[in-house]
């Protein structure tokens, strides 16, 4: 491999740098990140707003805690797109070129980290809820309800907001040419632990327990099918569980490169000094931000009630999610009462029309 010098065509004096100060690495991608983030924002924000409206309808109609957790994830994704993509990447980096007051820059940095933590940690209560629902169904009926889900979501949002405060002192990786200090190392390891290692560990443990529980139940059902012909049908992986596994898997894959690059920036080479690390950091950020816009397509692919709710929102309908099913459920009690009434009348008419058997003649003494 060749060691490319980290210099640009412009001279040091034109950039206002000292002769002994190395020039910062340039963005190899050019305007590609600006175009990418603009397209991601134009697609992601409307899609997430549509998702939020559809999930709100489902939450109000079904009264399930699941949809409140998904709604929290969607709202946090919207905040992440506004603070990180719009304010951080487009306004500060592309428009103002980081030439903003230092206080404003650090305040926005704290808000970006808070929104990022909220977007990631909103998935954790969803995972816990699905684990309890599948592995401890009786307990889930007692502890999982909308009021408690809203309280848990509020706690997660408050803790996420508080966790973003220390990152007010986060150093600018693109412009900081000094070696990483002890504070930088603490903030970087705290960041990667909060956004990746800790939530991914929770996802890995709970998802493994869910899959193990489902496999055990499948084996039990197979044994029942072998022992007796009249056994329960074999259960497959539920759509809600499949959606949960898809959400956590996509997050783990998309955020892994950024976590690796941030650690490399701390111990291997700085983003400021090496254009290759700068390139890797740009690409990893682009992959990580893609996670804020893919959940809508996962919901549509897996959940039929969500697709119906989206269709009702787009067609400006406010009726029930499944009109035919609701109509059948409403007609079922009426049909049952009518059938019982008809059966009662038929029995009564048959009893009235049936001739009485002849009485036996008494014996003649």
């Amino acid at each position: 491999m060749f060691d490319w010098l980290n210099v640009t065509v412009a001279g040091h004096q034109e950039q206002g740098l000292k002769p002994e100060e190395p020039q910062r690495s340039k963005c190899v991608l050019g305007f590609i990140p600006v175009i990418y983030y603009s397209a991601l924002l134009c697609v992601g924000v409307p899609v997430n707003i549509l998702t939020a409206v559809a999930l709100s309808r489902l939450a109000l109609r079904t009264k399930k805690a699941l949809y409140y957790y998904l709604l929290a994830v969607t709202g946090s994704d919207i905040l992440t797109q506004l603070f990180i993509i719009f304010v951080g990447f487009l306004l500060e980096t592309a428009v103002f070129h980081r030439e903003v007051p230092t206080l404003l820059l650090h305040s926005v940095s704290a808000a970006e980290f808070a929104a990022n933590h909220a977007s990631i940690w909103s998935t954790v209560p969803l995972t816990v809820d699905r684990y309890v629902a599948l592995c401890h169904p009786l307990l889930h009926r007692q502890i999982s309800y909308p009021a408690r889900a809203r309280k848990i979501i509020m706690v997660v949002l408050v803790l996420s907001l508080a966790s973003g405060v220390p990152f007010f002192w986060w150093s600018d990786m693109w412009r900081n040419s000094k070696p990483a200090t002890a504070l930088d190392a603490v903030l970087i390891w705290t960041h990667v632990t909060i956004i990746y290692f800790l939530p991914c560990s929770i996802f890995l443990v709970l998802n493994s327990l869910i899959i193990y529980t489902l496999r055990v139940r499948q084996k039990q059902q197979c044994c029942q099918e072998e022992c007796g012909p009249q056994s329960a049908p074999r259960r497959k992986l539920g759509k809600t569980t499949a959606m949960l596994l898809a959400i956590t898997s996509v997050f783990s894959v998309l955020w892994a490169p950024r976590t690796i690059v941030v650690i490399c920036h701390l111990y291997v080479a700085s983003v400021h000094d090496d254009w290759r690390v700068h390139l890797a950091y740009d690409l990893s950020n682009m992959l990580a931000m893609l996670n804020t816009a893919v959940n809508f397509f996962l919901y549509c692919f897996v959940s039929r009630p969500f697709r119906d709710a989206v269709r009702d929102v787009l067609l400006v309908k406010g009726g029930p999610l499944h009109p035919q099913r609701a109509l059948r459920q409403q007609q079922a009690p009426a049909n049952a009462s009518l059938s019982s009434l008809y059966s009662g009348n038929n029995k009564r008419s048959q009893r009235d029309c049936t001739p009485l058997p002849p009485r036996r003649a008494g014996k003649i003494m």
Side-chain angles (χ1 to χ4, degrees):
M1 292 187 60
F2 296 93
D3 293 332
W4 295 91
L5 295 177
N6 185 31
V7 294
T8 56
V9 180
H12 295 292
Q13 296 180 355
E14 294 180 2
Q15 298 294 331
L17 300 175
K18 296 180 181 180
E20 65 274 7
E21 182 180 357
Q23 190 175 3
R24 67 186 180 91
S25 60
K26 64 178 181 178
C27 181
V28 180
L29 296 178
F31 289 98
I32 294 178
V34 178
I35 299 173
Y36 172 81
Y37 289 125
S38 300
L40 186 62
L41 194 68
C42 293
V43 174
V45 172
V47 161
N48 280 327
I49 292 176
L50 177 61
T51 305
V53 176
L55 290 175
S56 300
R57 290 193 173 191
L58 288 171
L60 292 175
R61 292 174 184 176
T62 61
K63 303 297 181 182
K64 290 184 179 180
L66 167 68
Y67 294 114
Y68 287 93
Y69 292 129
L70 293 176
L71 188 60
V73 174
T74 305
S76 301
D77 286 342
I78 294 175
L79 293 178
T80 302
Q81 289 174 340
L82 293 179
F83 280 107
I84 297 181
I85 298 179
F86 179 67
V87 177
F89 288 122
L90 294 180
L91 286 184
E92 289 184 353
T93 304
V95 178
F96 298 109
H97 302 284
R98 300 276 175 174
E99 299 298 333
V100 294
T102 305
L103 180 62
L104 178 61
L105 184 65
H106 288 286
S107 300
V108 172
S109 177
E112 291 173 358
F113 280 97
N116 191 10
H117 297 167
S119 176
I120 293 170
W121 279 88
S122 297
T123 314
V124 175
L126 172 65
T127 310
V128 175
D129 181 78
R130 288 298 90 198
Y131 163 74
V132 177
L134 291 171
C135 300
H136 307 282
L138 296 179
L139 179 62
H140 182 263
R141 294 177 183 177
Q142 298 176 0
I143 66 174
S144 181
Y145 48 88
R148 175 166 290 182
R150 289 192 292 266
K151 292 180 181 179
I152 294 175
I153 291 168
M154 288 301 300
V155 171
V156 171
L157 293 179
V158 171
L159 291 178
S160 300
L161 180 62
S163 66
V165 174
F167 295 94
F168 178 87
W169 293 274
W170 179 268
S171 62
D172 191 352
M173 289 187 178
W174 280 285
R175 292 178 176 271
N176 191 7
S177 59
K178 299 178 181 179
T181 62
L183 178 61
D184 294 334
V186 170
L187 289 177
I188 286 176
W189 276 108
T190 304
H191 173 60
V192 296
T193 301
I194 292 177
I195 63 139
Y196 194 79
F197 291 123
L198 189 55
C200 283
S201 300
I202 297 174
F203 296 153
L204 178 62
V205 171
L206 295 182
N207 289 338
S208 300
L209 291 175
I210 289 173
I211 294 174
Y212 174 76
T213 303
L214 292 177
R215 286 184 176 179
V216 169
R217 290 179 181 175
Q218 253 187 355
K219 290 181 180 179
Q220 292 176 353
Q221 290 175 358
C222 290
C223 294
Q224 291 177 1
E225 289 178 359
E226 293 177 358
C227 294
Q230 296 180 353
S231 58
R234 184 178 300 179
R235 294 182 180 180
K236 297 181 180 180
L237 184 66
K239 292 184 177 180
T240 305
T241 307
M243 182 170 60
L244 171 65
L245 296 178
I247 292 173
T248 54
S249 300
V250 169
F251 162 76
S252 301
V253 171
L254 293 181
W255 276 89
R258 186 182 185 277
T259 304
I260 297 173
V261 172
V262 169
I263 297 176
C264 291
H265 164 80
L266 180 61
Y267 293 106
V268 179
S270 173
V271 174
H272 181 278
D273 298 333
D274 195 338
W275 67 270
R276 290 164 294 191
V277 181
H278 193 160
L279 174 63
Y281 193 58
D282 285 337
L283 293 176
S284 63
N285 280 330
M286 293 166 67
L287 281 177
M289 290 300 102
L290 181 63
N291 186 63
T292 61
V294 299
N295 288 339
F296 170 81
F297 304 100
L298 294 178
Y299 301 160
C300 288
F301 181 74
V302 174
S303 176
R304 181 179 178 181
F306 180 78
R307 293 195 298 269
D308 294 337
V310 170
R311 183 189 60 212
D312 291 342
V313 172
L314 294 177
L315 298 178
V316 196
K317 291 183 179 180
L321 296 179
H322 301 283
Q324 297 179 354
R325 186 182 304 174
L327 183 60
R328 286 196 298 266
Q329 291 176 355
Q330 292 176 0
Q331 289 177 350
N335 292 336
S337 60
L338 288 176
S339 61
S340 61
L341 179 61
Y342 290 154
S343 62
N345 292 335
N346 290 334
K347 290 180 181 178
R348 190 178 298 111
S349 61
Q350 290 176 2
R351 186 169 59 250
D352 294 339
C353 297
T354 303
L356 294 175
R359 295 182 180 179
R360 289 186 179 181
K363 292 183 180 181
I364 300 174
M365 297 298 296

